[in-house]
Amino acid sequence: MMAANCFSYISGITLLGMPAEIYVYGTQYWSVLIAILLMSIGCGVFFLPVFYKLQLNTSYEYLQLRFDRRVRLLGSFLYIISTLLYIPIVVYIPALAFSQVTGVNLHLVTPLVCLVCIFYTSLGGMKAVVWTDALQTILMFGGAIVVVVVGTVAVGGIDVVWRRSEMSERIEFFNMDPSPTVRHTFWNIAFGSFFGWITHISVNQGMVQRFLAMPSINKARIMLFIFCVGVMVIVSVSCYTGLLIYATYHDCDRVTTKIIHASDQLLPYFVMDVTGFIPGLPGLFMAGVFSAALSSMSTGLNSMAGVIFEDYIKPRLSGKVSEARASLMMKIICAAIGVFCVCMVFIVENLGGVLQVSGSLGGVTNGPMLGIFTLGMFFPWANSIGTFVGGVAGLLVMSWISFGTQAAIAAKLITFPKKPVSVAGCTHLYPDALSSIVDDPLLPVEVQEEPLSIYNLSYTLYSLTGLVVVLVVGMLVSYVTGFQDPEQLDLDLLTPPIQRFFRKKGDEQGKANGRPARANGDVENPKLMEALLSSADNDDKRGRTEQQGATDEEPQAS
């Protein structure tokens, strides 16, 4: 159940965006499998042990223990911005698919998607999210695989798919161009994308929450491995689907002929065109797309409502807040976020392909978010002032780059080379439709202003760029304001490889000074000691309450 719940982060962006990416630009993006594999290793070795040992309610509590409340609020603020930029894209995808299949206006579908998700998320809470995620994962995988199998048989087999894709130069895995301005290369996909993926999995509140729910760290790592394998499978299926769609329409491009309006509609059109003769299959596919979207949205709404309430509302309320009042407030937050996301869809639909838009907007917060956690776990000299200033600097720089680039793309100042398509086989079209495909007549070319060179940076490097900005600014400001003394820092707040280095160094200094070596888990940070004692006291109270409840129930059971 928990493993299936983790797949809520595989949304319609994967199911619809990746096939469109492969169809238009080729298979270079497929090398993201390397980034996913590295992400799972990095998460299991560097980040998961820290969170699991501290057993915190949210990943942002770590920032308060390591630094102060300002840094914690910065972390939760980055998460809120990230989710607010992500959910509208997730909502837009199923609305786009449903509009292509049924002809219903996209803006009528979007509010319905949000209403359904807000209803079961706000009423059912996390329990509803867990159960719906499990069901939606099955529908998502099932729908995608059935469509691929039927489509491959219809086109003539995998060899036909591969041969037609090779002839159109779509098979490309090793573009070794070192330039950071090339949209996709082996380097920026396989290694640059790693930083975005590890941010989503290692420090994102929604995923950390799931890993901490496991009874032991070994089982948490097993779930991480299952998640990694599952993601690699669904990404591979989605990428292959892009090749399959091209092989089916290799001589009659549906975008050029204006049969569909955007490349992200290719998969819904393909399902209706090729597999529509099978009763129920288009419905199964639409269920899979909607399931992926609802799963991601419900997870985001639930996690974001909890973060907003815990970090921004609860501290400002006087007295103890009852569960009923807290539940009501979180339902109101979910509803408000849903309304905002519906409005944001009007902007998202004008930004181009959803895969790049998702990566570009995610880069605004991924790098800064990863940066402040990296300063905390890998750099024991980083102080709270430096981390806060570094995080804000990273957010401002990446907002400027990301939004500036999106504006330049919308103004046609930045374009990307696409793989060739053909309309030679479009004999089924009416003559007037064929005549509309010819190239536009030569017109005087307007001299357009060149965009800033930084706007040409590949969106796959946004997370890495933000991370570097945070680390450089954070350490410089920490130096100016006075480094944190590693000796006054509890080792449990550091990642295990850094822990071992400082524990060994501390033991050597201790022997030289005649004091015993510090044992694993000794707490020298007063803030951490207070938090851990409070957590232990709460756990003890809960244990006594559960024991008393079980004692009270025994006579009734007998």
Side-chain angles (χ1 to χ4, degrees):
M1 178 72 73
M2 291 302 299
N5 192 231
C6 282
F7 290 108
S8 60
Y9 276 83
I10 303 300
S11 67
I13 295 173
T14 303
L15 294 180
L16 268 69
M18 286 188 183
E21 167 68 30
I22 301 300
Y23 182 97
V24 176
Y25 297 105
T27 59
Q28 185 59 72
Y29 188 82
W30 211 330
S31 56
V32 75
L33 296 181
I34 298 175
I36 296 171
L37 180 62
L38 294 176
M39 169 274 297
S40 65
I41 297 172
C43 177
V45 172
F46 297 113
F47 293 93
L48 189 57
V50 178
F51 290 123
Y52 200 88
K53 186 163 188 177
L54 295 176
Q55 283 293 311
L56 304 174
N57 292 322
T58 70
S59 57
Y60 309 111
E61 287 184 42
Y62 167 84
L63 297 176
Q64 184 166 352
L65 293 177
R66 174 63 176 85
F67 300 110
D68 57 23
R69 181 164 176 78
R70 286 181 307 171
V71 180
R72 171 179 175 166
L73 292 179
L74 174 61
S76 59
F77 179 69
L78 290 172
Y79 172 73
I80 291 169
I81 293 179
S82 173
T83 309
L84 287 176
L85 293 175
Y86 177 70
I87 290 181
I89 304 174
V90 170
V91 175
Y92 168 70
I93 288 295
L96 184 70
F98 192 80
S99 176
Q100 172 62 38
V101 171
T102 65
V104 178
N105 188 287
L106 182 146
H107 299 297
L108 294 178
V109 181
T110 303
L112 293 177
V113 175
C114 290
L115 282 174
V116 170
C117 191
I118 291 170
F119 175 76
Y120 76 75
T121 302
S122 60
L123 292 184
M126 193 62 189
K127 186 175 181 180
V129 172
V130 170
W131 279 102
T132 52
D133 280 358
L135 177 61
Q136 289 159 358
T137 298
I138 296 172
L139 289 174
M140 178 177 64
F141 274 89
I145 292 174
V146 170
V147 167
V148 164
V149 171
V150 174
T152 301
V153 172
V155 82
I158 296 178
D159 57 330
V160 175
V161 174
W162 198 262
R163 184 174 66 253
R164 291 177 179 176
S165 299
E166 276 189 322
M167 292 175 62
S168 65
E169 302 177 351
R170 275 172 171 74
I171 306 300
E172 180 184 31
F173 292 105
F174 299 103
N175 180 353
M176 309 305 270
D177 192 331
S179 173
T181 61
V182 178
R183 182 175 180 271
H184 284 172
T185 67
F186 174 81
W187 304 114
N188 61 32
I189 292 294
F191 300 103
S193 298
F194 160 80
F195 297 95
W197 277 94
I198 201 168
T199 303
H200 282 298
I201 306 306
S202 300
V203 300
N204 183 287
Q205 166 60 16
M207 290 301 296
V208 171
Q209 204 173 26
R210 286 158 171 73
F211 292 134
L212 294 183
M214 302 304 293
S216 69
I217 189 169
N218 288 333
K219 290 188 176 180
R221 283 173 170 152
I222 290 173
M223 187 174 73
L224 176 62
F225 172 76
I226 294 173
F227 172 79
C228 173
V229 172
V231 171
M232 293 174 74
V233 169
I234 197 67
V235 166
S236 295
V237 169
S238 298
C239 290
Y240 173 76
T241 303
L243 296 180
L244 175 61
I245 295 173
Y246 173 76
T248 304
Y249 304 123
H250 68 285
D251 59 352
C252 186
D253 178 49
R254 265 43 181 179
V255 180
T256 304
T257 56
K258 306 294 174 41
I259 295 176
I260 59 176
H261 302 292
S263 59
D264 294 316
Q265 293 178 311
L266 279 166
L267 184 55
Y269 176 85
F270 173 80
V271 171
M272 293 299 297
D273 184 37
V274 177
T275 67
F277 68 93
I278 302 177
L281 185 55
L284 177 63
F285 165 76
M286 287 306 303
V289 173
F290 270 90
S291 294
L294 291 172
S295 180
S296 299
M297 185 178 181
S298 63
T299 301
L301 286 176
N302 189 76
S303 299
M304 185 160 49
V307 168
I308 292 174
F309 177 77
E310 289 290 336
D311 289 349
Y312 294 94
I313 297 178
K314 189 176 180 179
R316 290 167 174 76
L317 297 176
S318 58
K320 186 178 180 180
V321 181
S322 66
E323 289 190 12
R325 186 182 179 192
S327 177
L328 177 62
M329 289 182 178
M330 293 179 70
K331 290 175 183 177
I332 294 173
I333 293 172
C334 283
I337 295 171
V339 172
F340 172 82
C341 292
V342 171
C343 298
M344 280 290 293
V345 170
F346 289 91
I347 299 176
V348 169
E349 67 175 329
N350 296 311
L351 295 181
V354 294
L355 189 66
Q356 177 163 340
V357 170
S358 174
S360 299
L361 297 183
V364 173
T365 56
N366 285 345
M369 177 77 78
L370 182 62
I372 60 177
F373 278 96
T374 301
L375 283 174
M377 295 185 187
F378 290 82
F379 295 86
W381 307 276
N383 63 26
S384 58
I385 298 176
T387 302
F388 183 82
V389 174
V392 172
L395 176 62
L396 294 177
V397 169
M398 295 316 301
S399 297
W400 165 53
I401 294 176
S402 178
F403 295 136
T405 302
Q406 288 300 316
I409 292 174
K412 307 298 184 183
L413 298 179
I414 297 177
T415 57
F416 306 103
K418 300 178 180 180
K419 297 300 181 182
V421 294
S422 171
V423 294
C426 298
T427 56
H428 61 285
L429 295 178
Y430 294 106
D432 56 343
L434 282 171
S435 63
S436 67
I437 300 173
V438 298
D439 295 333
D440 294 331
L442 294 177
L443 298 173
V445 178
E446 296 182 6
V447 178
Q448 294 182 320
E449 180 183 355
E450 285 290 324
L452 293 176
S453 57
I454 191 64
Y455 292 163
N456 291 311
L457 180 69
S458 171
Y459 75 95
T460 60
L461 299 176
Y462 283 5
S463 296
L464 174 59
T465 304
L467 171 65
V468 171
V469 171
V470 173
L471 296 183
V472 171
V473 174
M475 291 305 294
L476 284 176
V477 175
S478 294
Y479 171 74
V480 172
T481 57
F483 280 139
Q484 163 78 42
D485 183 4
E487 287 296 315
Q488 300 301 316
L489 191 66
D490 187 86
L491 295 182
D492 287 342
L493 295 170
L494 303 177
T495 189
I498 305 297
Q499 279 185 25
R500 284 192 287 271
F501 173 78
F502 278 92
R503 183 169 288 118
K504 182 178 180 181
K505 182 178 178 181
D507 291 348
E508 291 174 354
Q509 292 178 351
K511 290 178 182 179
N513 297 330
R515 72 170 187 266
R518 180 163 54 177
N520 184 22
D522 285 355
V523 179
E524 294 187 3
N525 187 332
K527 291 189 297 181
L528 181 59
M529 172 66 82
E530 181 181 353
L532 293 177
L533 288 175
S534 174
S535 176
D537 184 54
N538 291 336
D539 290 342
D540 185 51
K541 289 180 180 178
R542 283 196 299 269
R544 289 198 300 267
T545 301
E546 292 172 359
Q547 184 177 10
Q548 180 64 37
T551 304
D552 293 341
E553 291 175 2
E554 283 179 4
Q556 299 175 7
S558 60

